[in-house]
Amino acid sequence: MEMKRQRERRRVSRDILQPPDLGIIYLVGKKRNQSTSYRPGILLANTLDISKSGVLVQSPVRLKVLSSIAMRIRNPAKRIWIPVKGRVKWVKSSHAQPGYYNMGVRFDKKSCSSEVFMRASDRTREELAPSDVDFLLNTKFFGAIPRESVCPLLNKLAFKYCKAGERFISQGEEGDRFYIIRRGSCMVNLEKNGKIYPIARLKEADIVGEMAVLTGERRSTHVDAETDMEMWSLSRTEFDALSKEYPDMRIFLTEIVTHRFSISKLTASRVIGKYVISDVIGQGGWSIVYRGFHSRLNLSVAVKMLKHSMAMDADFMEKFQNEAKTIARLNHPNIVKVYDIEDLFRTVFIIMEYLEGVSLEYVLERMPKLSLSNIVDIILQVCSGLAYAHQHGIIHQDIKPANIYLQHDGRIKIVDFGLSCPPGNVDFSLPGTVHYMAPEQIQGSPVDERSDIYSLGITAYEMITGKRPFPEDDISKLMDMHVNEEIPDPHLSVPDLPDELCRFLKKSTRKNPAERYNDISEIVKEIEPLAEKLGLVQADKAEKDKIMGLFLFYQDRHQLALNRLIDAFNNVVSEIGAELRVTQVE
């Protein structure tokens, strides 16, 4: 008889919920237990499939077989929560979601009234109601996190109530949690020099205190309830644990910092070390670039922030920081200067010189074909910067028009050395742009100087012909072309192309690295005769000396101590290749 009933149940039509939806489980007869991180009285779970006779539930807590439960199952299409009541018939560990349990729940034949749910959980406003879940799912925070982390996150939320006029965040106190406002509003106020400055007014669905999840540092502002408020909160410790389990949640950390940098200039969160952030000037797959300035020297800088999806990967961060220190030591007129590196907000900020000008990509979009002298000049300047980097053991790995910057004075700067790695390394953690990527990069083989040479050749082909050699939108086909096909003959697009450039394009883009130029000096040797014919003199672009004035106001008694400081400062200045001159002024 039992086998017959199982066969009948399997024949019942089931709706597979893809992706899984949410259910609220009310454990009949269970009391709330403060000693556990989950609420035995009420539990958020995933519903995987449903039929007329039962539901398949995925829960972070293992329930006993034959235990009675009442549930509300979410139906987003109809915007309702369906009330059901049943018993747990079987429990198994979930293979798809480690740490979770799949449970088959058979519905009771009798209908379940709303009174059962109230009695089952003895619910107060501290418990998540269906309306609370609907509200939270529509907030920016839950919109930024992956679906699989929604259920465990909901189970970790804690309720907080504040009366109008109550200060629930104080400037200077240690911060350990953030809040999502359910009802009411609050004012964010900065206390500075004994005065209070209103920063922002936050209301329903806004997040407050979020920087605490990043740093655990002291609060930078006061937050006062403007009306009676209801909020759901999460501690930094719980967020950290969930971020490790669900790495995609780290994307939200980047959104938090980006949002904070975009609000009032009075907030202390816009300061990165000695630098003040202003506006976003660029964004890529792994970083965001802001414009900023040195708070004391009023020096314009570019501040590149590594996104948290990368920064919270311990192995990657160790490698990245080691490379960043190496890149910071590069000092060449054709390579963007790195002034400083700051570790803040659980990520890394690279402080670089601010460049006035446009990228080669910007120029090619508006001027498909450059003049011959411009092309040769750009190639030679890029070669000069790459040769210097290669001599210091750094491979760029992402040479392309977007990473070649044209300044107003005609100088070329290579930017975005963040993908660089030592020669002979295999690095697919942050591959270069596929349109310019060397075959060995695509195949995951070790890279060296010749990989940058290939990318430079593809970039030069686009400058010369006005189009990429493999303009394929299908990424898999494009990668196959880079690995197996030679570039089209450039003479087909530019019949009068000088032989020096034609040889350079063909040899630099050979599929086999052994058939390319061995190093940058061979390219320079190939192209320099053409540069001389065109009257290009690279020496004209030698970097000019700049002068910085520094005045010290002191008395005679300070002279000895100042002499020691100046000597020590002079040693540091000499190490970086600059020169210090001291002049006494009456």
Side-chain angles (χ1 to χ4, degrees):
M1 288 293 293
E2 180 62 26
M3 292 293 292
K4 183 179 179 181
R5 284 196 294 268
Q6 289 181 7
R7 285 195 298 269
E8 289 174 353
R9 285 198 298 271
R10 283 196 291 269
R11 284 196 293 267
V12 174
S13 175
R14 289 181 173 272
D15 292 328
I16 307 298
L17 303 177
Q18 203 54 257
D21 218 314
L22 289 172
I24 302 177
I25 300 176
Y26 303 88
L27 303 178
V28 178
K30 295 290 184 181
K31 294 182 179 180
R32 185 181 179 90
N33 182 355
Q34 298 289 352
S35 64
T36 178
S37 60
Y38 292 102
R39 310 176 184 91
I42 182 172
L43 184 69
L44 271 293
N46 293 315
T47 53
L48 304 182
D49 67 44
I50 189 171
S51 70
K52 291 182 179 180
S53 62
V55 64
L56 177 58
V57 176
Q58 187 184 70
S59 165
V61 175
R62 185 185 187 112
L63 303 183
K64 292 181 179 180
V65 174
L66 299 181
S67 60
S68 296
I69 64 170
M71 287 188 67
R72 287 192 187 272
I73 299 173
R74 186 170 177 263
N75 185 331
K78 296 183 179 180
R79 298 183 179 180
I80 60 173
W81 289 77
I82 304 168
V84 297
K85 185 180 178 184
R87 286 184 179 275
V88 178
K89 301 303 292 183
W90 57 266
V91 180
K92 292 181 180 179
S93 295
S94 172
H95 297 295
Q97 188 88 331
Y100 273 63
Y101 303 91
N102 289 346
M103 299 184 295
V105 177
R106 188 189 300 175
F107 297 146
D108 286 351
K109 292 182 179 179
K110 294 182 179 180
S111 62
C112 191
S113 68
S114 60
E115 293 180 5
V116 174
F117 299 96
M118 295 304 295
R119 290 197 306 269
S121 66
D122 191 24
R123 185 183 162 313
T124 66
R125 67 181 175 188
E126 284 93 9
E127 301 288 5
L128 277 166
S131 58
D132 292 318
V133 176
D134 287 334
F135 163 78
L136 289 166
L137 293 179
N138 287 313
T139 62
K140 181 181 178 182
F141 176 60
F142 277 86
I145 62 176
R147 172 60 186 84
E148 64 269 19
S149 63
V150 167
C151 185
L153 186 57
L154 287 170
N155 279 311
K156 295 288 187 180
L157 292 179
F159 179 82
K160 182 175 179 62
Y161 174 77
C162 283
K163 291 184 178 180
E166 182 181 344
R167 175 167 291 174
F168 61 95
I169 291 179
S170 297
Q171 184 172 328
E173 71 179 4
E174 292 185 2
D176 64 348
R177 63 176 53 243
F178 70 93
Y179 305 88
I180 302 173
I181 302 173
R182 177 69 175 97
R183 292 183 180 87
S185 62
C186 60
M187 290 298 300
V188 181
N189 299 309
L190 175 69
E191 184 175 342
K192 189 174 182 180
N193 299 326
K195 294 183 178 180
I196 299 293
Y197 299 90
I199 298 298
R201 182 176 183 268
L202 303 178
K203 55 188 185 304
E204 183 178 296
D206 285 334
I207 299 175
V208 59
E210 67 274 22
M211 292 302 284
V213 304
L214 286 179
T215 64
E217 295 175 354
R218 297 185 180 278
R219 303 286 194 181
S220 59
T221 58
H222 300 300
V223 184
D224 304 304
E226 189 178 41
T227 66
D228 288 356
M229 297 183 69
E230 294 182 6
M231 296 174 284
W232 293 102
S233 73
L234 186 71
S235 73
R236 182 173 184 246
T237 302
E238 289 167 338
F239 187 88
D240 284 348
L242 288 169
S243 293
K244 290 178 181 178
E245 191 172 354
Y246 305 99
D248 286 347
M249 284 184 66
R250 300 166 184 173
I251 296 170
F252 184 67
L253 295 179
T254 297
E255 292 195 10
I256 290 175
V257 177
T258 304
H259 168 71
R260 185 52 64 106
F261 287 161
S262 68
I263 63 177
S264 172
K265 293 183 179 180
L266 284 172
T267 58
S269 300
R270 296 174 67 93
V271 177
I272 304 299
K274 301 180 288 294
Y275 307 91
V276 180
I277 295 291
S278 55
D279 51 324
V280 175
I281 57 176
Q283 187 164 178
W286 63 282
S287 64
I288 300 174
V289 183
Y290 301 89
R291 183 168 185 173
F293 62 92
H294 193 292
S295 56
R296 293 182 180 179
L297 301 180
N298 202 26
L299 171 71
S300 291
V301 295
V303 181
K304 176 174 288 188
M305 181 185 79
L306 186 65
K307 290 184 178 179
H308 290 78
S309 53
M310 298 293 181
M312 292 183 73
D313 182 323
D315 292 337
F316 173 80
M317 269 301 288
E318 182 180 1
K319 170 183 174 295
F320 181 86
Q321 287 177 315
N322 290 337
E323 291 176 6
K325 292 172 184 175
T326 301
I327 295 163
R329 290 194 291 268
L330 298 180
N331 184 21
H332 189 275
N334 294 121
I335 296 176
V336 65
K337 289 183 177 66
V338 174
Y339 297 138
D340 210 345
I341 299 171
E342 295 280 357
D343 291 312
L344 285 171
F345 307 134
R346 296 200 204 176
T347 188
V348 172
F349 294 84
I350 301 177
I351 319 298
M352 305 173 294
E353 66 175 314
Y354 180 78
L355 301 178
E356 298 282 356
V358 295
S359 69
L360 177 58
E361 179 184 54
Y362 179 91
V363 173
L364 292 177
E365 286 174 353
R366 290 154 180 77
M367 189 187 301
K369 289 189 180 182
L370 302 178
S371 69
L372 184 60
S373 20
N374 277 343
I375 291 168
V376 173
D377 184 34
I378 291 170
I379 292 172
L380 287 177
Q381 288 199 60
V382 172
C383 281
S384 180
L386 283 179
Y388 177 86
H390 293 171
Q391 289 165 10
H392 286 76
I394 294 294
I395 310 301
H396 189 284
Q397 267 205 108
D398 197 23
I399 292 296
K400 60 183 179 183
N403 286 335
I404 297 171
Y405 221 78
L406 284 63
Q407 296 190 104
H408 299 315
D409 62 358
R411 186 182 303 285
I412 302 300
K413 291 275 188 178
I414 306 171
V415 303
D416 221 353
F417 269 85
L419 298 185
S420 59
C421 75
N425 274 19
V426 178
D427 186 359
F428 242 15
S429 60
L430 279 173
T433 306
V434 177
H435 282 289
Y436 307 90
M437 195 184 295
E440 59 271 21
Q441 282 180 284
I442 292 171
Q443 295 172 318
S445 300
V447 300
D448 58 24
E449 293 93 335
R450 296 167 297 183
S451 305
D452 281 348
I453 287 173
Y454 181 93
S455 299
L456 176 58
I458 299 295
T459 299
Y461 185 98
E462 185 175 355
M463 283 194 288
I464 291 167
T465 66
K467 57 187 178 183
R468 300 186 188 114
F470 308 123
E472 181 59 63
D473 292 331
D474 186 307
I475 296 299
S476 60
K477 290 182 180 179
L478 175 61
M479 294 168 77
D480 183 69
M481 288 179 176
H482 274 294
V483 172
N484 298 307
E485 295 186 20
E486 298 295 338
I487 63 169
D489 186 349
H491 275 129
L492 297 176
S493 299
V494 186
D496 58 346
L497 183 68
D499 291 340
E500 295 92 336
L501 284 180
C502 189
R503 286 194 299 270
F504 160 65
L505 291 181
K506 290 181 177 180
K507 188 169 183 178
S508 63
T509 57
R510 296 292 184 198
K511 305 300 143 184
N512 184 353
E515 297 177 7
R516 298 178 206 149
Y517 298 101
N518 289 317
D519 55 44
I520 293 293
S521 65
E522 293 184 4
I523 300 176
V524 174
K525 187 177 180 181
E526 181 88 77
I527 296 178
E528 267 191 339
L530 176 60
E532 291 176 3
K533 292 178 189 175
L534 295 171
L536 294 173
V537 182
Q538 292 300 305
D540 289 344
K541 291 189 172 58
E543 191 170 23
K544 297 177 181 178
D545 287 339
K546 296 179 180 178
I547 299 174
M548 177 185 293
L550 176 66
F551 293 94
L552 285 171
F553 296 89
Y554 65 98
Q555 296 178 355
D556 288 340
R557 67 177 185 275
H558 302 141
Q559 185 70 62
L560 185 60
L562 282 176
N563 288 345
R564 295 192 187 115
L565 287 173
I566 291 170
D567 287 341
F569 181 52
N570 186 44
N571 291 334
V572 175
V573 169
S574 300
E575 286 178 6
I576 65 173
E579 182 182 356
L580 175 67
R581 295 184 184 180
V582 179
T583 302
Q584 293 290 341
V585 179
E586 292 296 334

